[in-house]
Amino acid sequence: MNPWPLLGVALVVAGFALRLNPLMVVVAAGLATGLFAGLSPDEVLRLLGEGVLRNRYLLLFVLTLPVIGVLERSGLREHAQATIAKLRAVTAGRLLIAYLALRQALSMLGLTNIAGHAQTVRPLIAPMAEAAAERATGPLPPSTRQRLLGLVAGTDNVGLFFGEDVFVAFGAVLLMQGFLESNGIVVEPIRIALWGLPTAIAAFAIHGFRLWRLDARLQREAEAERAAADEAETQR
Amino acid sequence: MKPLYLVIGALLIAVAWHVARDERHPRRWASGAFWALLALLFVGGDALGPHAAGAIAVALAALAGAGRVVRGPAREEPAAQRAESAARLGHRLFGPALAIPAATVLLVLALKRATWDGRPLLEPQIQTLWALALACLLAGGLALRLTRRGPADGVHAARDLLEAIGWAGVLPLMLAALGAVFAAAGVGDLLARGVSAVIPVQSAFACVAAYAVGMALFTMLMGNAFAAFPVMTAGVGLPLLVRLHGADPASMVAIGMLSGYCGTLLTPMAANFNIVPAALLELKDPHAVIRAQAPTGIVLLAVNVMLMYVIVFR
């Protein structure tokens, strides 16, 4: 077997490590891998084009942007923040644990597209988490704010990934069942889906535990930042 | 899907037009060309065929790689005006935002039942995508009515958000295409052979660890657990775990796939989950989402190895 296509994988890893433009790295790696595999430049281009055309649905999120954009210009984020700021019981950690549970439960029912980074995270959950954190700790240091927003997006991913596999009609479950069947092993899709449950529970426990400790961490970071600022003040 | 692609294409054309006409935009021609070429994939992709689509992909990568795809000046409304509008509209602002998920669910349920001539109106795989798209159009109408704006405002708002995301928004598409090339070149089989060559196959635990961790590593390289699954399961899971050590296949594949998802949490190759959101939230570090997910992904992978060892040999 021709081992040269593995260089394409190495190109991707090297390109990302060198922080070159990822879009360029990925397309260049695709061209190189095809050529290393002995395809003609013409065939490589066709293969690449087929992959692009078949996966255009990945840009469907573009259709949410006019809605979210118009609402944001009319103050959606400000209103989401003001609403959370009034609810004293809601902390950033509790809000995210509730969102994680909701996202995971909805995904288990097959409702995966109901939430997402464009639909719910940017317009609603991110500003709410920020407002809840700032009510508790005062203004967040920029690095803390960045980490908090990264965690909000990550919470959406964890909820989605470790819920959807428990839904029987989800593509991944059917992919696994079809793969086993083509290898002469017949199993019910429901058995595959149910064996996803232990990991789903573990995912909620692990990520939930991190979120449960989030409020204390935010408090610590904000205090450290204020202490450092005071220090700089007295030295001057 | 064709009508949906035309709608997306039309929106992208409008964005390209506004970018190219914006004299304050630092790179209006190159950035405009980027969005116009992307629009062409949606409007004329099927007519142009895969060859031309491949060439367009290369052109998009070249424009982004040359640093010519940048953000124009945003024309956000002043904070005071947004606060005033937020106070005036209040909770009604949540209506159109929540209408996207609510209408998506209702439309999915409706499309499941909809038949034409005894056959389903839409194939099951694309029902959700149609539901989401139609829900966006509906919510868009509600949002414009509530805020008393016109469709042109929708385009301007979309342009600001799309330019904030920039070329990162196209990365998932190119990664999917790269996956197709990897598959055609047999990259997966090569890697699976490498894995099974280096582990002590007589140890059941080593095989479990190789399968679960291999799924995660492979997913990190390919950016997609679905691409890693057939390769790792055919190369390691079935021959070593099921046939050699007598593992239960149903639970093995279930936990194996979820081990792949742990890898998804850790890789920039899964751009639509990890890189696009960082751009969408306008974070400085493009890897901020991966950093936030890493502790969960790594601990969960270790837990998966344990779970698999206990469950598949029960």
Side-chain angles (χ1 to χ4, degrees):
Chain A
M1 211 169 168
N2 169 12
W4 289 107
L6 284 179
L7 274 180
V9 179
L11 267 181
V12 171
V13 175
F16 273 95
L18 291 172
R19 302 210 160 214
L20 300 178
N21 181 291
L23 200 61
M24 190 181 66
V25 169
V26 166
V27 172
L31 294 176
T33 307
L35 294 178
F36 287 139
L39 301 174
S40 74
D42 230 32
E43 286 170 313
V44 182
L45 218 51
R46 199 173 52 82
L47 209 53
L48 210 58
E50 272 173 3
V52 165
L53 291 179
R54 214 180 23 246
N55 290 287
R56 279 178 292 180
Y57 70 90
L58 285 168
L59 261 82
L60 205 58
F61 76 89
V62 167
L63 291 180
T64 63
L65 298 181
V67 188
I68 301 305
V70 161
L71 293 173
E72 283 190 358
R73 287 177 167 210
S74 298
L76 175 61
R77 290 162 69 90
E78 283 77 5
H79 184 64
Q81 289 181 331
T83 305
I84 285 298
K86 277 187 220 138
L87 300 171
R88 300 220 146 265
V90 178
T91 66
R94 286 180 198 161
L95 174 78
L96 290 182
I97 290 175
Y99 185 66
L100 176 67
L102 186 70
R103 184 81 162 113
Q104 216 175 350
L106 290 171
S107 300
M108 285 184 189
L109 300 174
L111 303 173
T112 50
N113 281 324
I114 187 165
H117 297 288
Q119 300 103 297
T120 45
V121 171
R122 165 156 174 146
L124 298 172
I125 309 301
M128 285 178 169
E130 216 180 320
E134 295 205 322
R135 195 195 49 229
T137 65
L140 295 174
S143 61
T144 304
R145 179 177 173 271
Q146 297 265 323
R147 274 201 294 279
L148 172 64
L149 292 181
L151 192 60
V152 178
T155 301
D156 187 87
N157 284 336
V158 172
L160 169 67
F161 293 176
F162 299 100
E164 63 184 5
D165 246 25
V166 184
F167 178 58
V168 178
F170 177 59
V173 174
L174 303 179
L175 172 84
M176 290 186 262
Q177 187 238 350
F179 177 84
L180 287 181
E181 201 176 280
S182 66
N183 281 280
I185 301 171
V186 179
V187 293
E188 290 271 317
I190 184 81
R191 289 203 50 222
I192 299 177
L194 286 178
W195 283 119
L197 267 177
T199 304
I201 295 167
F204 182 79
I206 293 166
H207 200 70
F209 176 72
R210 292 183 60 209
L211 295 174
W212 176 63
R213 301 201 320 170
L214 173 68
D215 295 321
R217 200 188 87 192
L218 292 172
Q219 188 78 43
R220 228 175 21 246
E221 287 182 13
E223 273 166 17
E225 171 85 6
R226 267 197 295 277
D230 288 349
E231 183 107 341
E233 194 70 23
T234 47
Q235 275 176 4
R236 206 176 321 137
Chain B
M1 291 300 288
K2 244 185 191 166
L4 290 187
Y5 290 158
L6 288 179
V7 176
I8 297 174
L11 180 60
L12 290 170
I13 289 173
V15 168
W17 170 253
H18 286 294
V19 169
R21 276 187 9 153
D22 186 350
E23 284 171 11
R24 292 176 308 156
H25 196 295
R27 292 276 184 201
R28 61 178 175 140
W29 296 119
S31 298
F34 182 86
W35 299 114
L37 282 170
L38 186 62
L40 192 56
L41 280 178
F42 283 84
V43 178
D46 298 302
L48 290 169
H51 257 117
I56 292 175
V58 172
L60 292 172
L63 282 169
R68 300 294 168 92
V69 183
V70 295
R71 192 178 177 180
R75 273 159 311 161
E76 251 182 326
E77 259 128 83
Q81 204 176 324
R82 289 204 310 271
E84 184 273 324
S85 161
R88 183 165 42 87
L89 296 171
H91 287 322
R92 279 180 294 166
L93 277 168
F94 290 139
L98 296 175
I100 297 180
T104 305
V105 174
L106 293 178
L107 284 164
V108 167
L109 295 176
L111 287 174
K112 266 201 186 116
R113 278 148 212 256
T115 53
W116 180 267
D117 220 6
R119 276 177 310 178
L121 185 61
L122 293 171
E123 293 176 21
Q125 306 93 294
I126 60 171
Q127 282 170 355
T128 329
L129 299 175
W130 267 93
L132 176 62
L134 293 175
C136 286
L137 295 180
L138 177 77
L142 291 176
L144 292 181
R145 233 189 76 182
L146 174 70
T147 60
R148 296 169 191 269
R149 290 166 193 261
D153 292 306
V155 171
H156 284 297
R159 177 205 149 177
D160 281 350
L161 283 175
L162 200 57
E163 283 212 281
I165 302 169
W167 52 259
V170 187
L171 196 50
L173 201 57
M174 298 305 170
L175 284 163
L178 177 65
V181 178
F182 274 178
V187 167
D189 298 327
L190 285 168
L191 289 169
R193 281 187 197 188
V195 170
S196 52
V198 296
I199 56 167
V201 293
Q202 287 314 312
S203 154
F205 185 79
C207 291
V208 163
Y211 180 55
V213 176
M215 268 300 294
L217 289 177
F218 247 51
T219 303
M220 289 178 69
L221 285 176
M222 314 280 253
N224 186 334
F226 295 178
F229 175 77
V231 177
M232 276 306 288
T233 309
V236 179
L238 291 181
L240 298 183
L241 280 169
V242 174
R243 291 200 198 104
L244 186 63
H245 291 290
D248 164 49
S251 49
M252 180 194 80
V253 293
I255 303 172
M257 182 68 93
L258 290 167
S259 304
Y261 286 11
C262 293
T264 314
L265 293 175
L266 303 171
T267 177
M269 296 289 282
N272 49 334
F273 297 114
N274 296 338
I275 305 296
V276 174
L280 197 56
L281 293 173
E282 298 173 44
L283 302 180
K284 277 195 221 90
D285 176 7
H287 298 139
V289 179
I290 296 173
R291 274 182 230 286
Q293 289 168 166
T296 303
I298 291 166
V299 174
L300 188 56
L301 180 59
V303 169
N304 267 339
V305 172
M306 299 301 163
L307 279 175
M308 195 188 289
Y309 187 63
V310 172
I311 290 174
V312 299
F313 298 121
R314 93 200 103 83

